[in-house]
Amino acid sequence: MTKLSQFRPSVQPPATWDSGAGAFLTTLRSPWYSLVAELQDTVQVATADYARSRGLKALSLPLTTRTITCPSGLGSDTEPVAVNVSGVDTYLSDSAQFLLEYGCQIAPGGCYGILPSFRNEVPDATHLSQFTHSEAEIPGGLDDLIDYVEGYVKALAGSILDRCGDRLAEARGDVSHLERMVNSAGGFERLTFDEAERLLRDEEGCIGYEGDGRTLNRKGERLLMERVNEFVWVTHFDHLTVPFYQAFGDNEGRTAKNADLLFGLGEIVGSGERHTDAEPVRKSLAMHNVPEHDYAWYVDMKQEMPLRTAGFGMGVERFLMWVLDHHDIRDIPLVSRVGETTKWPESVDRP
């Protein structure tokens, strides 16, 4: 496999995401952000083209929600952002997933959207507290979803090569990783979490533990990509380490019908099949110590209109990190919000 570090990029980010007054002017003059803007536009257009080719409809969805996908309880790895809008206590959306499930009742062929998501966590090299979320929900199960996602990321990589491959190669030195994705034959490699754990047993620090469940950390993700393939799915995590809405992967409810697609920095796409009807939702809420009354409308929808769907979320900035072969996600947004979680001096001038 070609190592991108052998190439010397000619265009680098100006590292203005946490700088002082006037930093935004440096950003506006930077060829890095001109390239990022071109890539963002390509992702938007290619997403719409691909979704339409698969029969999905674009839905306009709100940025506030009373139903967060990161509730308190087992399987949640972040905190929501609480806001008050016109005197109403609510949250900024951390994912459009619940509304996309709702949308599948109106658009039976499936639906999608690219919207901002907000999470109450401190940004670092691989996490943003405000990011662009490409999400879709489709009728069917986990295998149907994996097929959709593989076609999607290949379509994105192909569109980027077609529209800006020459510019990207000149700026960053290499596009072979995109070519390998586009030209990969068949589906990507798949491992269950149990299989992944066995493969990593000889290396300490790859598997973490949350209560009675196991988690895969960044070191484990990297090692799997080295040992298996640079594009690899890990499926069927322990249910208590994923959100309650993921369908059960076995009769005992030990595993989930979920799948993370690893490439680049690690997990780029998180996905899963949902519970079809109300009974398993109630069981899962109880297992995860999440109050049912907080999700009453969701349970009612499953009770009255059972529907088998599956969906995914992809952080666009993480995908573009891989495209650009870059190491710090804070350099990707055109308008930084990293300082929103720290404290900006009053003298700092920013958009």
Side-chain angles (χ1 to χ4, degrees):
M1 184 176 76
T2 303
K3 291 188 178 296
L4 302 185
S5 58
Q6 295 173 354
F7 300 88
R8 292 192 175 184
S10 63
V11 174
Q12 297 280 12
T16 53
W17 49 263
D18 201 15
S19 300
F24 76 94
L25 293 175
T26 303
T27 296
L28 291 176
R29 298 185 182 106
S30 169
W32 170 268
Y33 286 105
S34 173
L35 177 57
V36 170
E38 182 71 18
L39 293 171
Q40 286 186 350
D41 179 66
T42 301
V43 168
Q44 291 275 354
V45 172
T47 297
D49 288 346
Y50 179 75
R52 189 176 298 110
S53 75
R54 298 290 295 258
L56 277 66
K57 296 186 182 302
L59 300 186
S60 298
L61 300 170
L63 291 183
T64 56
T65 180
R66 300 296 295 274
T67 311
I68 52 173
T69 63
C70 55
S72 60
L74 302 176
S76 296
D77 59 359
T78 187
E79 296 291 332
V81 179
V83 294
N84 184 282
V85 180
S86 300
V88 177
D89 291 328
T90 185
Y91 297 99
L92 293 176
S93 176
D94 62 318
S95 167
Q97 178 228 308
F98 285 130
L99 289 180
L100 289 170
E101 285 193 60
Y102 172 89
C104 280
Q105 301 285 353
I106 302 167
C111 48
Y112 76 99
I114 300 181
L115 295 165
S117 282
F118 305 84
R119 296 182 181 177
N120 192 9
E121 56 188 24
V122 178
D124 58 28
T126 60
H127 294 85
L128 292 171
S129 56
Q130 302 181 32
F131 63 98
T132 308
H133 215 171
S134 178
E135 299 179 87
E137 196 79 15
I138 65 171
L142 187 61
D143 289 337
D144 302 302
L145 184 70
I146 287 175
D147 176 73
Y148 184 97
V149 171
E150 290 181 351
Y152 175 51
V153 295
K154 289 180 181 181
L156 290 182
S159 293
I160 288 170
L161 287 172
D162 289 342
R163 287 187 54 176
C164 28
D166 291 343
R167 182 180 179 186
L168 186 62
E170 181 179 354
R172 299 299 290 166
D174 182 45
V175 293
S176 64
H177 53 310
L178 283 87
E179 293 168 344
R180 290 193 298 274
M181 175 175 279
V182 171
N183 296 326
S184 58
F188 300 146
E189 296 283 349
R190 293 195 211 180
L191 297 171
T192 65
F193 194 100
D194 289 341
E195 291 169 335
E197 183 185 40
R198 287 193 290 271
L199 190 61
L200 298 173
R201 277 180 180 170
D202 63 328
E203 187 76 27
E204 292 185 2
C206 293
I207 304 296
Y209 297 90
E210 294 180 4
D212 294 329
R214 302 160 298 168
T215 60
L216 182 64
N217 61 28
R218 194 73 70 205
K219 178 181 178 181
E221 291 176 344
R222 287 195 298 265
L223 198 56
L224 285 176
M225 289 185 288
E226 290 174 9
R227 293 182 173 183
V228 180
N229 194 279
E230 63 181 316
F231 313 114
V232 59
W233 289 98
V234 181
T235 71
H236 294 81
F237 285 52
D238 292 345
H239 205 285
L240 290 179
T241 65
V242 303
F244 74 87
Y245 49 75
Q246 305 288 30
F248 294 124
D250 58 81
N251 293 333
E252 293 75 34
R254 183 183 72 86
T255 64
K257 287 185 180 178
N258 76 307
D260 284 358
L261 178 57
L262 313 181
F263 60 97
L265 66 88
E267 182 225 334
I268 302 292
V269 178
S271 64
E273 183 176 332
R274 320 307 186 194
H275 299 296
T276 298
D277 51 42
E279 182 181 354
V281 174
R282 291 193 172 101
K283 177 181 177 180
S284 187
L285 285 165
M287 283 176 54
H288 287 252
N289 298 325
V290 177
E292 183 176 326
H293 64 78
D294 290 347
Y295 295 86
W297 78 267
Y298 185 70
V299 176
D300 288 346
M301 182 177 70
K302 298 289 184 177
Q303 179 74 43
E304 298 300 322
M305 305 176 73
L307 184 65
R308 186 186 185 212
T309 69
F312 78 91
M314 182 190 79
V316 172
E317 290 85 358
R318 282 193 176 185
F319 179 80
L320 293 182
M321 275 182 69
W322 170 75
V323 170
L324 290 159
D325 181 33
H326 190 55
H327 62 279
D328 197 324
I329 198 169
R330 292 168 292 190
D331 289 316
I332 304 299
L334 298 179
V335 180
S336 176
R337 286 295 179 258
V338 169
E340 299 295 319
T341 58
T342 55
K343 182 166 176 62
W344 285 71
E346 292 182 2
S347 61
V348 169
D349 182 17
R350 58 194 173 93

